[in-house]
Amino acid sequence: MWKRKVLKKKTRMRMKQTYWRMISVCFLAAMLAGLYPVSATFLGSQASLPSPERNMTAPFAAEITNSEVISDLARRLFKGTFISDFFRSPFSTAADIAIELGTTSSSAFFSFLRAVNNFFVENWDISTLILIIGVVLSILYQIFISNLLNIGEKRFFLENHSYCQTPVSKIFFLYKLRVITHPAWIMFCRALFQFFWSLTIVGGVIKYYEYRMIPYILAENPKISRKDAFFLSKQLMKHNKYKLFLLHLSFIGWKILSLFTFGILDFLFVNPYLTGTEAELYLNLRRNYVLSRSARYEQLNDSYLEHVPSEDELLISKALYDDSRGPYTQISYFAPEQYPVFLFSVQPPFKAVRSPVKSDRTYAFLSCVFLFHVFSILGWVCEMSVQLLVNGTTDGLFSPFSPWMPIYGIFGILILLVCRHFIHKPVLVFLLNFVFYSVLEFAVSWITEFFTGTQPWDYSGYSLNIDGRIYAGGSIAAALLGCAFLYYLAPRITDRFMKLRKFSRTAICAGLTILLLADIIFRIHR
C-alpha cells in the first residue's frame, strides 16, 4: 500500500540533494526526446525567413501547428459529417489548446499526418520524396533516440533514489551498453498497442496506465522479453491504475501555474518532481512484488537499486567477479555514492568500453584550427538538415560560405578556451554556452545587417526572441550542441587528429583554411 504524500515527500528530500542533476536530466529529456511537450511549447512556434515562397509542406513545417494538421485531415476525411463540423465550431478551441500543449511538432505521428495531408494537395514530385524521407527520419528518431532516452531518464531516477552522485550521462546508458534494438522494439510495440487501444478512447486511457511501468522495467532490465515486460507492467499496475491517475491529477495545480510562467516552472521544478515521484512509486511496487515472489519476479533483478553495497561488499564482489562477464571489472573504480556498474546484469562488449574522455585538456594551435573547421562544417550540416525538414527548402538558409558556418566554428573555439576551466560544473557550462551563442548570433545578425542592409534571419515568429535576431529555443539547441562538442566530440576528434604526423596535421589545416578563404573571395567578387 502506498500513499501519494509519502512518495512526494521522498522525492522532495532527494531534490534537495540532487536538484541540479534532476532538472538537467529532465531538461535533456525534454529537448532531445520531447518527453515534456508542455515545457518545450513556449520555446518556439514559427520562423519567418527572408526567402522565396516555400513550395511544399515539410515534415516539420513550423507554420502548420499540430491542431491544424488534425483539423485539416479531419475535414478532408470526414467532409460533410459532424466530425468535420466540430473542427469548425468554437468548441474545438479547447481541443486545439490541449493538442498544442500536449504534443510536439517533431513527433513521428504528426510528421506522418503532415505527409498524409500533403498527399491530398500536392502532386508526386521531388518535394514528395523529401517529405517521405523526413517522415522516415522522424520515425527512426522516435524509435532509436526518443524512446531510448526515455528509458535512460527513468534509469537515472531509479539510481538517483539511492546514489546521490548518479551522473547526468546515465540518460545515455543504453547506448553505452550497446543495448539498443531490443528495448527500442519493446517501446515501439508499446506505442503501437497504445495507438490502437486509443481508438476505443476508454481502452486507451486504461492501457496508458497499464503500460506506464514498461520504461522503468526496461531501465532495470534492458534485456527482458517483450512478453515479460508487458506482463510485469500489467501486474505492477493491477489495482493501481486509478491511484496513479490521482497521483498525476495531484500535479494539475503545478501544471496550471507553469503555464503562467511560460513553461519555466516545468523545467525548474515540476518535471523532476513528477518523474521523481513516479520513480519512487515504481520502486515501491517492484519491492512489494519481489518480496511476494509473484510470477516472473526474477526478471526484476537489480537489487542494487535500493540496496547500497558497503565498500567491503564491493571489494568482495570484485574479487569473486568473473572478468569474462564484462569489461567494467577491468576499468571500474568504486566511485562514492554511485551505482556499481560492474555488478549490473547487462555488461557492454569489450570494444565498447573506452578510457574516460579528458574534457579539461588543453588544445594546441593546430588542434584549435582543425576543430574550428570541424565545428563550422558540423554546424552547416545541422542547419541544412533543420531547414530542409522544417521548411522543405534550403533557400532561406543564411550560409555565406558553404559548407562552412563560421559562427559555429567561432563558438566552438570560444567554449574550448573558456568553458574547459569549468568542466566539472556542467550546468554552468551550459549556461555559459547559452550566453556565448546568444551574444555571438545577435552580433553577427547586427553586423551583417549594418553592412548589407538586410537582416540575415528573422526569429520574430518565435516566442522569447530579442528583436528577431535570437530566440531561446535556438540558443538552447546550440548550447546543447556545444556541450556535446566540449565534453565528447572535441576530445575524441583531437585524439585521432594528434595521431597523425605533424606534417599531415599542418597540411590538413592549411588545406581547409585555403578552401575557406577561396570560397570567401569567390563569393565577394561574384
Side-chain angles (χ1 to χ4, degrees):
M1 197 66 175
W2 54 274
K3 295 183 179 180
R4 296 194 301 271
K5 291 184 178 180
V6 175
L7 298 180
K8 289 183 175 182
K9 182 178 180 180
K10 289 182 179 180
T11 305
R12 290 194 299 269
M13 292 176 61
R14 180 52 62 179
M15 288 184 71
K16 292 179 181 179
Q17 298 174 303
T18 61
Y19 174 73
W20 288 109
R21 295 174 188 268
M22 292 173 72
I23 66 170
S24 297
V25 169
C26 289
F27 180 80
L28 288 174
M31 301 306 299
L32 299 179
L35 297 186
Y36 304 100
V38 175
S39 306
T41 295
F42 297 98
L43 293 181
S45 54
Q46 177 182 352
S48 57
L49 295 170
S51 63
E53 291 294 326
R54 298 187 182 99
N55 56 14
M56 63 170 288
T57 301
F60 303 145
E63 74 277 7
I64 303 177
T65 64
N66 290 346
S67 58
E68 289 173 339
V69 170
I70 292 180
S71 60
D72 288 347
L73 185 60
R75 283 194 291 266
R76 290 190 177 104
L77 294 178
F78 304 101
K79 187 176 181 179
T81 66
F82 74 95
I83 297 178
S84 177
D85 295 336
F86 170 80
F87 284 99
R88 291 189 177 93
S89 68
F91 298 103
S92 67
T93 304
D96 291 344
I97 295 174
I99 291 171
E100 294 305 320
L101 293 179
T103 62
T104 58
S105 61
S106 60
S107 70
F109 177 71
F110 282 96
S111 297
F112 175 75
L113 293 186
R114 282 181 170 85
V116 173
N117 270 335
N118 189 72
F119 293 153
F120 279 104
V121 297
E122 297 284 347
N123 296 322
W124 285 78
D125 53 17
I126 187 64
S127 65
T128 306
L129 177 61
I130 294 175
L131 182 61
I132 294 174
I133 293 174
V135 172
V136 171
L137 291 176
S138 175
I139 293 173
L140 292 176
Y141 187 92
Q142 183 73 36
I143 293 174
F144 293 106
I145 296 181
S146 295
N147 287 344
L148 298 187
L149 292 180
N150 184 1
I151 299 171
E153 181 203 37
K154 303 304 185 282
R155 181 69 197 186
F156 169 85
F157 277 93
L158 293 180
E159 289 191 15
N160 189 63
H161 167 81
S162 301
Y163 306 91
C164 61
Q165 293 298 317
T166 301
V168 174
S169 61
K170 187 63 67 172
I171 191 175
F172 305 106
F173 90 110
L174 287 176
Y175 299 101
K176 294 180 179 180
L177 293 177
R178 299 295 194 270
V179 180
I180 295 175
T181 56
H182 184 68
W185 164 247
I186 295 177
M187 291 293 286
F188 171 76
C189 292
R190 172 181 181 252
L192 185 64
F193 296 167
Q194 178 68 58
F195 170 75
F196 285 118
W197 276 108
S198 295
L199 298 179
T200 66
I201 303 178
V202 175
V205 175
I206 295 174
K207 292 299 179 178
Y208 173 81
Y209 285 100
E210 184 175 298
Y211 298 157
R212 189 65 183 177
M213 293 301 154
I214 289 178
Y216 292 97
I217 294 170
L218 289 170
E220 179 174 356
N221 183 3
K223 291 194 173 182
I224 191 173
S225 69
R226 181 188 63 81
K227 290 184 178 180
D228 286 345
F230 278 79
F231 174 81
L232 288 173
S233 181
K234 180 179 180 180
Q235 293 301 113
L236 291 176
M237 294 307 299
K238 196 172 184 179
H239 307 304
N240 287 299
K241 289 187 283 291
Y242 181 67
K243 293 183 66 177
L244 180 55
F245 167 76
L246 293 179
L247 175 62
H248 288 165
L249 192 62
S250 67
F251 286 90
I252 190 65
W254 288 111
K255 286 294 184 181
I256 294 175
L257 185 60
S258 179
L259 296 179
F260 292 99
T261 63
F262 302 101
I264 296 176
L265 185 62
D266 261 354
F267 281 121
L268 297 180
F269 182 74
V270 182
N271 291 339
Y273 187 22
L274 175 57
T275 306
T277 303
E278 201 172 78
E280 291 288 342
L281 171 61
Y282 172 76
L283 290 171
N284 182 287
L285 295 177
R286 74 167 296 280
R287 184 189 312 118
N288 294 334
Y289 195 81
V290 171
L291 290 176
S292 65
R293 297 296 190 267
S294 299
R296 307 183 200 179
Y297 78 93
E298 63 277 0
Q299 295 297 327
L300 303 177
N301 55 6
D302 195 351
S303 61
Y304 293 104
L305 287 176
E306 296 188 86
H307 169 64
V308 181
S310 65
E311 187 172 346
D312 289 340
E313 288 180 277
L314 287 174
L315 289 170
I316 294 173
S317 300
K318 177 85 171 185
L320 297 176
Y321 192 78
D322 181 5
D323 286 351
S324 64
R325 291 175 55 189
Y328 277 151
T329 54
Q330 300 177 9
I331 66 168
S332 65
Y333 59 94
F334 301 146
E337 299 183 341
Q338 287 190 24
Y339 180 90
V341 291
F342 74 96
L343 293 178
F344 188 49
S345 59
V346 179
Q347 292 285 291
F350 282 85
K351 63 180 180 180
V353 177
R354 302 177 181 178
S355 58
V357 176
K358 295 181 180 179
S359 305
D360 57 348
R361 63 183 299 166
T362 57
Y363 294 89
F365 174 75
L366 283 179
S367 296
C368 288
V369 174
F370 182 68
L371 289 173
F372 166 81
H373 289 291
V374 169
F375 207 43
S376 296
I377 296 173
L378 177 63
W380 180 83
V381 171
C382 291
E383 290 284 351
M384 286 283 290
S385 302
V386 170
Q387 287 297 319
L388 187 62
L389 292 175
V390 172
N391 300 319
T393 178
T394 60
D395 293 338
L397 176 64
F398 176 73
S399 179
F401 319 117
S402 301
W404 281 268
M405 291 280 289
I407 185 175
Y408 282 97
I410 297 171
F411 173 57
I413 298 303
L414 183 62
I415 62 178
L416 287 182
L417 296 177
V418 177
C419 294
R420 68 180 183 84
H421 298 291
F422 310 100
I423 205 73
H424 300 296
K425 299 179 179 180
V427 175
L428 177 59
V429 168
F430 171 80
L431 294 176
L432 288 174
N433 286 355
F434 180 87
V435 173
F436 289 160
Y437 185 81
S438 299
V439 172
L440 186 61
E441 188 177 35
F442 189 94
V444 170
S445 175
W446 187 87
I447 293 172
T448 302
E449 185 178 11
F450 180 81
F451 283 102
T452 65
T454 304
Q455 188 170 327
W457 52 76
D458 184 7
Y459 298 131
S460 56
Y462 283 85
S463 56
L464 303 178
N465 76 86
I466 299 179
D467 197 24
R469 303 184 188 277
I470 59 174
Y471 78 105
S475 296
I476 287 174
L480 290 174
L481 185 61
C483 288
F485 183 70
L486 175 65
Y487 283 98
Y488 185 80
L489 294 177
R492 292 295 188 194
I493 293 173
T494 302
D495 286 341
R496 294 181 178 274
F497 181 68
M498 293 303 294
K499 290 180 180 179
L500 301 175
R501 292 183 299 173
K502 186 175 181 179
F503 174 80
S504 299
R505 298 199 302 269
T506 304
I508 291 173
C509 291
L512 290 172
T513 303
I514 290 172
L515 287 174
L516 176 59
L517 292 175
D519 188 45
I520 294 174
I521 295 172
F522 171 77
R523 291 176 181 275
I524 290 176
H525 291 282
R526 186 173 59 177

